[in-house]
Amino acid sequence: MKLYRLLTEDDTAAFCHKVSEALSKGWELYGSPTYAFDHANGVMRCGQAVTKEANVAYSPDLKLGQQ
């Protein structure tokens, strides 16, 4: 089964670390990153979709970050 996650974070090094950690765990980039202004908090936010093939059955309780 293919797992999907959308990683988001304020536009800081924390976002790059979050994506790098996912890549180090076997996740692959999916599409282009996104970048938008968060009006409610007054900051720029980044997003990147990632996917990963996994030998698990889908469940809404599946902890994607632990895969």
Side-chain angles (χ1 to χ4, degrees), residues 26-59:
W27 291 84
E28 297 180 2
L29 299 177
Y30 181 82
S32 299
T34 187
Y35 192 62
F37 185 68
D38 177 349
H39 290 278
N41 295 306
V43 296
M44 294 300 293
R45 303 247 329 144
C46 301
Q48 174 65 58
V50 292
T51 61
K52 181 179 182 179
E53 286 293 334
N55 238 355
V56 296
Y58 176 74
S59 164

Side-chain angles (χ1 to χ4, degrees), residues 6 9 11 23 27-28 52 60 62 67:
L6 179 62
E9 185 67 54
D11 183 20
L23 294 174
W27 291 84
E28 297 180 2
K52 181 179 182 179
L62 188 62
Q67 296 300 313

Side-chain angles (χ1 to χ4, degrees), residues 9-33:
E9 185 67 54
D10 289 351
D11 183 20
T12 66
F15 174 72
C16 296
H17 286 286
K18 187 181 277 191
V19 174
S20 295
E21 179 183 20
L23 294 174
S24 75
K25 292 180 176 179
W27 291 84
E28 297 180 2
L29 299 177
Y30 181 82
S32 299

